[in-house]
Amino acid sequence: MAFILHKSIRIKAPLRLRSALLFLKGINPLWLALGLVLLLIIWLASGDVLRSADEAPDVTEEVVESPSRIEAELYEAEYYQPELGVQGRIEPWRQIQIIARVSGEVIDLPVAQGESVESGSVLLQLDAEERAARVAQLEADAELAAAELSGAEQLRRQDLASQIEYLRLVAERARVATELEAAEMALSYTRPEAPFSGIFDRRLIELGDYVQSGQELVHFTDISRLRIMAQIPQQEVARLNVGQPVEVQLLDDSVLRGELRHIATVADPETRSFFVEVEAENPDLRRIAGGTASLKIQLAEVFAHQLSPSLLSLDGDGRLVVRYVDEDERVREQEVRLLSAGRDSAWVEGLPEQVRLITQGAGFVELGQQVEVVMAEED
């Protein structure tokens, strides 16, 4: 019986193997490969899970963030005299156009064009022969009228002259005196004089010309001093005062010294700027009137800081600010007013007397953030 059982088992085993082989043969090789790969992935994953479960979890330590490191430099305020710079127009101190008061022929030109003359100098001569004769005639008439009136006064005291005759003589003397005064004035108009010391700048007539009353004759100017006109923005005019020193820089880089003489009380309605006038001496009588100049008006001294323009920035509202570190090592921001700026330095006001300005790292920290400060001197 045992023999029979053993034999049956030996017979059945090959049959199962053959069945399995037949089953595998019937499976598509592609699906078989995919199945094997899937089994391999499951085996590998189960191994990692088992290994991870066997290992003790790591103890996570709390990470403590250190403060950001920035560089700062100590700045101290000092007195600074700011300047307000504007462009101006140069004009002569005085300038007039002399016109003919009477008609006549030009018979003399005693002053050369461009010559300097003193006040009262005769600039030209018109023909005055008829007017001189008229003055002589009226002077004789005035003497006659005065004599007749004197005789009438003596007769009146003796009651030998009527009141009407006396009044007629009084009127006659007054008429002659008036005509004589007008004739003398007309005669003086034939010899136009310099109204002030200056330069016979331009002559518009020639010798022998016949001029009419009202015709322009010469231009006369005084450039011993100059006036420079400019327009000041309305936000700056409050910083100005009459008498402030002004440096007038000319196109050739030479400089004249002057002072502020006038500030308008009302702004120009179109530009909203204020007219100002500067007076400057011109001892060398330089020919610069009519040109332009750069004005530097010296303003009152202020307490300010000098710093690098790179430390300035704009906040969200467009205000000019700088960043600094307070006593608690926290980042702060302060609005400042720019007084002047150059390529290498800028002057600002609005900061404490002593302040630690952030020179490096300001863009990597937030306002109110606590930082580690390294002073520039320690580098």
Side-chain angles (χ1 to χ4, degrees), residues 96-102 189 192 212-218:
I96 64 169
Q97 291 77 42
I98 297 178
I99 62 173
R101 300 288 189 89
V102 295
Y189 289 157
Q212 299 289 344
S213 177
Q215 182 177 338
E216 193 170 343
L217 302 176
V218 300

Side-chain angles (χ1 to χ4, degrees), residues 281-314:
E281 296 293 332
N282 185 25
D284 298 329
L285 302 181
R286 300 184 61 181
R287 291 176 172 83
I288 54 178
T292 58
S294 299
L295 302 182
K296 293 182 180 180
I297 304 174
Q298 305 292 322
L299 305 177
E301 282 190 334
V302 294
F303 221 36
H305 291 77
Q306 184 181 21
L307 46 84
S308 170
S310 63
L311 301 183
L312 302 172
S313 60
L314 297 176

Side-chain angles (χ1 to χ4, degrees), residues 85-154:
V86 293
Q87 288 295 115
R89 185 181 72 257
I90 307 172
E91 296 292 342
W93 182 247
R94 287 178 290 189
Q95 181 177 22
I96 64 169
Q97 291 77 42
I98 297 178
I99 62 173
R101 300 288 189 89
V102 295
S103 302
E105 181 184 351
V106 179
I107 61 173
D108 190 18
L109 295 172
V111 180
Q113 189 169 240
E115 187 176 343
S116 296
V117 297
E118 297 296 325
S119 176
S121 300
V122 176
L123 302 177
L124 58 94
Q125 173 72 54
L126 300 179
D127 180 16
E129 186 175 346
E130 292 183 4
R131 290 182 174 81
R134 177 61 175 164
V135 169
Q137 179 186 348
L138 289 172
E139 287 176 344
D141 291 345
E143 290 181 4
L144 177 60
E148 288 179 344
L149 181 60
S150 178
E153 289 175 346
Q154 293 179 5

Side-chain angles (χ1 to χ4, degrees), residues 108-277:
D108 190 18
L109 295 172
V111 180
Q113 189 169 240
E115 187 176 343
S116 296
V117 297
E118 297 296 325
S119 176
S121 300
V122 176
L123 302 177
L124 58 94
Q125 173 72 54
L126 300 179
D127 180 16
E129 186 175 346
E130 292 183 4
R131 290 182 174 81
R134 177 61 175 164
V135 169
Q137 179 186 348
L138 289 172
E139 287 176 344
D141 291 345
E143 290 181 4
L144 177 60
E148 288 179 344
L149 181 60
S150 178
E153 289 175 346
Q154 293 179 5
L155 293 175
R156 278 198 68 204
R157 285 194 291 269
Q158 300 174 13
D159 293 330
L160 297 176
S162 67
Q163 179 71 12
I164 295 176
E165 180 64 16
Y166 173 75
L167 293 178
R168 185 188 68 79
L169 293 173
V170 171
E172 177 66 13
R173 188 184 69 169
R175 180 190 66 79
V176 172
T178 301
E179 290 185 4
L180 176 59
E181 183 179 357
E184 290 175 339
M185 186 171 295
L187 180 61
S188 69
Y189 289 157
T190 64
R191 296 165 54 86
E193 297 178 353
F196 48 81
S197 297
I199 297 176
F200 190 170
D201 193 49
R202 186 181 177 193
R203 189 180 65 226
L204 304 175
I205 44 89
E206 294 295 338
L207 194 65
D209 286 349
Y210 188 88
V211 300
Q212 299 289 344
S213 177
Q215 182 177 338
E216 193 170 343
L217 302 176
V218 300
H219 291 178
F220 195 74
T221 62
D222 175 13
I223 60 171
S224 61
R225 286 182 292 173
L226 300 168
R227 62 178 82 235
I228 303 96
M229 278 78 80
Q231 298 288 334
I232 302 298
Q234 58 181 340
Q235 62 268 26
E236 301 288 352
V237 72
R239 305 165 68 190
L240 301 182
N241 293 291
V242 172
Q244 286 176 324
V246 180
E247 185 178 281
V248 183
Q249 186 171 11
L250 306 177
L251 295 179
D252 61 357
D253 291 332
S254 59
V255 173
L256 298 178
R257 305 292 175 181
E259 68 176 34
L260 192 60
R261 293 298 301 272
H262 173 70
I263 306 170
T265 55
V266 180
D268 186 307
E270 295 183 359
T271 63
R272 306 298 179 189
S273 58
F274 286 79
F275 170 82
V276 298
E277 182 178 287

Side-chain angles (χ1 to χ4, degrees), residues 325-365:
V325 182
D326 65 9
E327 297 176 353
D328 298 326
E329 310 294 295
R330 294 189 179 276
V331 178
R332 302 300 179 191
E333 195 171 75
Q334 176 64 43
E335 181 182 1
V336 295
R337 178 190 179 113
L338 182 65
L339 301 177
S340 68
R343 179 181 299 178
D344 300 322
S345 67
W347 285 89
V348 300
E349 64 175 341
L351 293 171
E353 183 177 350
Q354 288 189 338
V355 61
R356 292 183 296 170
L357 297 182
I358 301 177
T359 54
Q360 289 188 20
F364 301 98
V365 292

